[in-house]
Amino acid sequence: MQDILDTPPNIHNNARETEQLALEFILPKVKKLRLVVLKAIANAGWTGGKTGSEIVEDIDGYIVSVRPRLTELHEYGLIIPGEKRKNKRGCQELSWLITSKGMQVARMKDE
């Protein structure tokens, strides 16, 4: 079986060369905890999103490890900020939504 990362990715059917180059640049960087966080957000769906606290619960991790990963994934254009909602402590917390590019990366890494 051929590794999915060895094949050139497509974002759209007629993706521009710059889109393909950008995705090829990002793919190797999305691994380990970044990938776990990305998949947790992808599992929430397009509209629900996840807060940092919810991701920590899902992956049994630490908020101080998850927050920087959220910033990195946002800088890569794989997630976008959603609405603020209250966490278990009653504080407002930003939710994160997956982008179409983020969903594609999460799926590619699954295969």
Side-chain angles (χ1 to χ4, degrees):
M1 184 171 145
Q2 185 176 10
D3 186 358
I4 191 71
L5 297 179
D6 291 337
T7 60
N10 277 327
I11 297 172
H12 300 104
N13 288 337
N14 297 318
R16 295 180 184 164
E17 183 181 359
T18 54
E19 279 183 286
Q20 291 181 358
L21 291 173
L23 188 57
E24 289 173 14
F25 177 77
I26 290 170
L27 276 174
K29 296 179 181 193
V30 181
K31 51 187 162 184
K32 298 185 182 177
L33 188 55
R34 286 185 195 129
L35 182 58
V36 171
V37 170
L38 182 65
K39 286 182 180 182
I41 297 169
N43 291 337
W46 296 103
T47 57
K50 292 264 185 179
T51 65
S53 297
E54 292 167 341
I55 294 167
V56 167
E57 286 181 24
D58 286 353
I59 67 171
D60 193 28
Y62 299 97
I63 196 70
V64 294
S65 298
V66 168
R67 282 190 183 139
R69 306 302 77 83
L70 292 169
T71 301
E72 293 162 355
L73 292 169
H74 180 247
E75 288 173 355
Y76 294 151
L78 303 178
I79 60 173
I80 57 171
E83 296 180 357
K84 288 186 178 183
R85 58 181 181 241
K86 288 189 177 184
N87 61 21
K88 285 185 175 181
R89 295 182 307 179
C91 299
Q92 291 288 325
E93 191 172 355
L94 187 63
S95 65
W96 293 93
L97 304 169
I98 190 115
T99 64
S100 57
K101 183 166 62 169
M103 188 64 82
Q104 185 177 12
V105 169
R107 287 182 184 153
M108 289 178 80
K109 294 284 190 161
D110 276 339
E111 297 174 3

